[in-house]
Amino acid sequence: MKRVLVTGALGQIGTELVVKMREIYGADNIIASNRSGQEDHTLTQSGPFEVIDVTDAKRIFEVADKYKVDTIMHMAALLSATAENNPLLAWEINMGGLINALEVARELNCQFFTPSSIGAFGPSSPKDNTPQDTIQRPVTMYGVNKVAGELLCDYYYHKFGVDTRGVRFPGLISYVQPPGGGTTDYAVHIYYEALRHKKYTSYIDKGTYMDMMYMPDALNAIIDLMEADGDRLKHRNAFNVTAMSFDPEGIAAEIRKHIPEFTIDYKVDPMRQAIANSWPNSIDPTAAIEEWGFKAEYDLSRMTVDMLTKLKEKGI
Ligand code: AKB
């Protein structure tokens, strides 16, 4: 990775990924792009920035060619709840955007990364310690997009030799850029509300376990996988990665260690609850550990300390 185009750079992952990669590879070598350019002044000023709508294949090519990039990190996507509310738009952005970006990677001979998700599993997948290779029959549009995306990336590798790589991310927790439209977002909101109001009303019910990971571990996973020796990779595009699994009661109990008055109650959102119910309780990251040395530094307790500290520093 010497010169990288990041799509969806103002999203939850992209915002921090661009900052970290600019530190490692040099600001001029990381070309951030997003559908609109207004929201994040710092990122658009700290290195090259271009407006790209990923449904516009020509525009992706134009920017990738202009900067002579050798890597594309395709982060632009709708998350699970938004996708479920607007399945046709999700197909257009998640599948149309992906194949456009893959085509540019093929034409310009770029290495390629795009995230899959725990959403690629469904109710018939084993629920606990879900294996790397298992039944994948998701029942959401997001899940359908993710499984098709995993297969499409494999196809571009086998058919055209594009060096495609990817992970199945769990819910990602961060104090920088809030997520939007996901099912796991509650695990970010809860920290803000704990500091602001000492209480949180969860749209996900108690007893609903999902995998989660702190953003610094997610960024390291992306960079480590992209830097890994390709000859060691057997799976390439859809490595299970996770750092912890908890339900709303579990994260609330951890927050209570620091804010004893904190309380949680429930107003369950049927749609997001149904999505969560169809996902694993926990997934097995053994293939990622064995094939490229995946390692997560943050568990629930270390993440909670860091989240509360960093959000307080931000004035929350
Ligand atoms: C979502 O909730 O949609 C995402 C994901 C797990 O892919 N955070």
Side-chain angles (χ1 to χ4, degrees), residues 14 38 54 119 227 263 300:
Q38 312 307 318
V54 294
E227 297 283 5
T263 58
L300 176 57

Side-chain angles (χ1 to χ4, degrees), residues 79-81 117-119 142 169-172 181-185 279:
L79 292 184
S80 54
S117 159
I118 52 172
Y142 182 67
F169 271 135
L172 297 181
T183 301
T184 57
D185 297 7
W279 289 357

Side-chain angles (χ1 to χ4, degrees), residues 78-292:
L78 297 188
L79 292 184
S80 54
T82 310
E84 209 47 29
N85 279 325
N86 204 336
L88 293 186
L89 183 66
W91 185 268
E92 193 183 327
I93 293 177
N94 293 355
M95 297 315 303
L98 176 59
I99 201 156
N100 288 343
L102 278 166
E103 267 300 289
V104 175
R106 180 179 71 78
E107 286 171 292
L108 298 179
N109 197 21
C110 295
Q111 197 189 19
F112 190 87
F113 175 90
T114 199
S116 184
S117 159
I118 52 172
F121 296 113
S124 52
S125 309
K127 195 85 180 147
D128 296 299
N129 208 27
T130 309
Q132 175 67 42
D133 301 307
T134 189
I135 300 165
Q136 288 181 270
R137 305 287 294 172
V139 290
T140 63
M141 177 50 97
Y142 182 67
V144 170
N145 295 165
K146 289 301 180 188
V147 176
E150 292 179 1
L151 294 172
L152 199 56
C153 289
D154 280 347
Y155 180 78
Y156 268 73
Y157 172 65
H158 291 296
K159 176 91 176 169
F160 304 118
V162 179
D163 184 3
T164 52
R165 303 183 184 199
V167 296
R168 291 184 186 128
F169 271 135
L172 297 181
I173 295 163
S174 146
Y175 59 87
V176 180
Q177 176 80 5
T183 301
T184 57
D185 297 7
Y186 90 88
V188 177
H189 302 157
I190 194 169
Y191 287 108
Y192 283 81
E193 294 306 299
L195 287 169
R196 283 185 180 132
H197 306 297
K198 298 187 171 24
K199 65 183 171 71
Y200 178 66
T201 301
S202 177
Y203 61 80
I204 292 292
D205 207 358
K206 63 173 80 163
T208 311
Y209 285 80
M210 286 184 278
D211 284 284
M212 304 280 175
M213 190 187 286
Y214 200 32
M215 189 60 85
D217 284 329
L219 302 182
N220 286 336
I222 295 173
I223 292 168
D224 290 350
L225 174 58
M226 291 302 274
E227 297 283 5
D229 176 359
D231 293 340
R232 286 183 61 198
L233 304 180
K234 294 189 205 101
H235 287 89
R236 306 202 72 91
N237 286 309
F239 284 98
N240 283 3
V241 292
T242 183
M244 61 195 97
S245 167
F246 55 74
D247 79 329
E249 293 288 307
I251 187 171
E254 200 57 46
I255 291 172
R256 222 170 278 123
K257 290 181 187 166
H258 307 274
I259 307 172
E261 319 88 282
F262 177 67
T263 58
I264 184 165
D265 61 9
Y266 294 88
K267 187 165 181 249
V268 172
D269 168 27
M271 191 196 72
R272 283 179 289 186
Q273 184 64 41
I275 295 175
N277 288 346
S278 77
W279 289 357
N281 292 334
S282 64
I283 60 173
D284 174 12
T286 305
I289 295 167
E290 286 178 358
E291 292 178 39
W292 49 277

Side-chain angles (χ1 to χ4, degrees), residues 1-6 21-22 24-32 47-50 63-73 108-113 226-227:
M1 282 196 296
K2 295 197 183 67
R3 227 164 152 71
V4 185
L5 171 63
V6 182
M21 288 202 305
R22 282 184 174 161
I24 300 174
Y25 302 102
D28 289 347
N29 293 322
I30 307 301
I31 295 82
F49 180 86
E50 298 279 348
V63 174
D65 193 42
K66 172 177 164 190
Y67 289 93
K68 303 286 171 235
V69 300
D70 59 26
T71 306
I72 297 175
M73 293 200 167
L108 298 179
N109 197 21
C110 295
Q111 197 189 19
F112 190 87
F113 175 90
M226 291 302 274
E227 297 283 5

